[in-house]
Amino acid sequence: MKITAAITGVGAYVPDYILTNKELETLVETTDEWIVSRTGIEERRILKGENQGTSVMGIKAVEQLLAKTGTRPEEIDLVICATTTPDLVFPATANIISAAVGINNAFSFDMQAACSGFIFALTTGAQFIQTGAYKKVIVVGADKMSSIIDYTDRATCIIFGDGAGAVLLEPNTEGLGLQDQVLCSDGHGEPYLHQKAGGSRRPPSAETVAQREHYVHQEGATVFKFAVKNMADVAAQVMERNHLTADDVAWLVPHQANKRIIHATAHRMGVGEEKVMLNIHRYGNTTNGTIPLCLADYESQLNKGDNLIIAAFGGGFTWGALYLKWAYDPKPDPQLA
């Protein structure tokens, strides 16, 4: 009997502080109308406070996930954290999250593929389920993008926010869960979206700090062009090779980078806007957090057997699409019971 890896629960967390477009108008030369018309973003969440790293949000998301699914920490076999903003160079942020929530019987590691990291990590975690090696795998997508954003750079500071989401993967024998994936990367994209300093090639120094090289560098027009084409291409490809029409797709779950990119992907797939998960207006681009945050926001509208196409594009370049069959019907909110 074929084993597939199915998502059996979702958790999420976003910080309390809301950075609005109006506040950004006081930091850089921009307007609310300009930001909304070009990106679809109205506000984003920012993690404030001393010693508050990405793990803080990942911990909250995993704690919620465990509570919602009734899973004990000691049952977890593996934790993968997809992040571009780890707490430290080492140890892995996944290790920090696991220790904080009492996951002591698992091994854990981080995965870095920019904004595509969550779908890469989801596919990786699924392999451990599909081979029969593990029964319960947690995949976290979390980023504190505010820690690497230059709030004097209008090209990037309007886009990014902070947030985290987590999913539980478990074996399924009903044909539900992850069905197929198309994953891609092209290192020639490095010059267009990267962080100049902070790694082994250009370690931190007084010079790199003075030259503001520890922030995200993005050439927006080039990134937009590649993202529109590649995200749409792989989403269409995964549909075509699984003989799916637009009518077969219940939801498109796109990376929340730019509303125009999302609409272009949906148009290429032939999927109407009513089938597109969208929360970019609330959170901006939380990098690895965008897709699990979408799943959390729309969880109550998902039904067992729904066909989902999940697509992302990230710096470097990385991109991909997954075909997933949702594995459970909406669950009642225990707080309302």
Side-chain angles (χ1 to χ4, degrees):
M1 187 175 295
K2 183 179 179 181
I3 297 173
T4 55
I7 292 175
T8 57
V10 183
Y13 176 80
V14 291
D16 293 331
Y17 187 87
I18 298 174
L19 176 59
T20 65
N21 291 346
K22 287 296 182 183
E23 184 175 350
L24 282 172
E25 289 178 0
T26 69
L27 301 177
V28 292
E29 186 179 344
T30 190
T31 65
D32 173 66
E33 187 278 332
W34 191 91
I35 297 171
V36 172
S37 65
R38 285 160 177 78
T39 69
I41 301 168
E42 298 173 13
E43 59 188 39
R44 65 288 293 148
R45 302 299 182 99
I46 304 296
L47 183 64
K48 297 278 192 175
E50 294 292 324
N51 296 314
Q52 301 290 291
T54 294
S55 67
V56 170
M57 299 180 291
I59 289 164
K60 296 283 190 183
V62 171
E63 286 176 339
Q64 185 189 88
L65 173 64
L66 294 173
K68 284 173 62 177
T69 58
T71 305
R72 300 188 309 277
E74 58 269 24
E75 295 180 77
I76 302 301
D77 301 302
L78 168 63
V79 177
I80 307 173
C81 181
T83 186
T84 301
T85 55
D87 282 29
L88 305 164
V89 174
F90 66 90
T93 302
N95 295 13
I96 298 170
I97 293 170
S98 297
V101 300
I103 297 176
N104 300 318
N105 298 328
F107 88 96
S108 55
F109 62 90
D110 289 353
M111 181 166 286
Q112 215 293 61
C115 296
S116 304
F118 182 79
I119 64 171
F120 284 21
L122 193 67
T123 304
T124 301
Q127 309 308 307
F128 289 90
I129 298 290
Q130 292 166 0
T131 61
Y134 293 138
K135 301 297 184 185
K136 294 181 186 291
V137 173
I138 288 178
V139 180
V140 183
D143 271 300
K144 184 184 178 183
M145 292 304 294
S146 63
S147 67
I148 57 171
I149 294 300
D150 182 353
Y151 285 93
T152 67
D153 176 16
R154 182 178 67 172
T156 56
C157 73
I158 65 171
I159 298 170
F160 294 95
D162 304 338
V167 300
L168 178 64
L169 291 175
E170 295 186 274
N172 184 278
T173 55
E174 300 176 84
L176 303 172
L178 183 62
Q179 305 294 308
D180 194 14
Q181 63 279 320
V182 178
L183 304 176
C184 309
S185 60
D186 181 357
H188 292 97
E190 177 195 342
Y192 309 111
L193 182 51
H194 63 279
Q195 183 177 324
K196 294 181 181 298
S200 59
R201 181 197 300 177
R202 193 161 172 75
S205 67
E207 179 187 10
T208 64
V209 172
Q211 294 181 359
R212 308 181 76 80
E213 295 183 1
H214 293 267
Y215 297 119
V216 172
H217 169 79
Q218 176 171 280
E219 297 182 22
T222 302
V223 173
F224 181 86
K225 180 180 70 174
F226 274 89
V228 166
K229 181 182 187 303
N230 290 328
M231 222 170 103
D233 281 354
V234 288
Q237 184 181 347
V238 82
M239 285 178 63
E240 288 166 6
R241 73 187 205 180
N242 288 280
H243 311 292
L244 296 172
T245 68
D247 290 339
D248 297 322
V249 177
W251 293 98
L252 166 63
V253 192
H255 169 53
Q256 308 286 300
N258 181 296
K259 197 172 182 179
R260 291 182 294 165
I261 296 173
I262 293 169
H263 285 163
T265 302
H267 178 74
R268 172 72 184 278
M269 294 169 58
V271 172
E273 291 186 18
E274 74 282 356
K275 291 184 174 184
V276 180
M277 291 191 186
L278 197 67
N279 60 14
I280 190 172
H281 56 292
R282 298 171 58 200
Y283 306 134
N285 181 352
T286 57
T287 304
N288 286 287
T290 67
I291 288 170
L293 281 171
C294 273
L295 293 175
D297 282 355
Y298 284 81
E299 184 183 22
S300 64
Q301 300 179 54
L302 293 170
N303 295 288
K304 186 176 181 178
D306 279 354
N307 291 320
L308 276 58
I309 301 296
I310 303 175
F313 181 89
F317 290 129
T318 62
W319 67 98
L322 311 181
Y323 167 32
L324 180 84
K325 278 187 168 295
W326 197 248
Y328 60 94
D329 288 318
K331 298 175 181 177
D333 188 337
Q335 295 181 348
L336 302 178

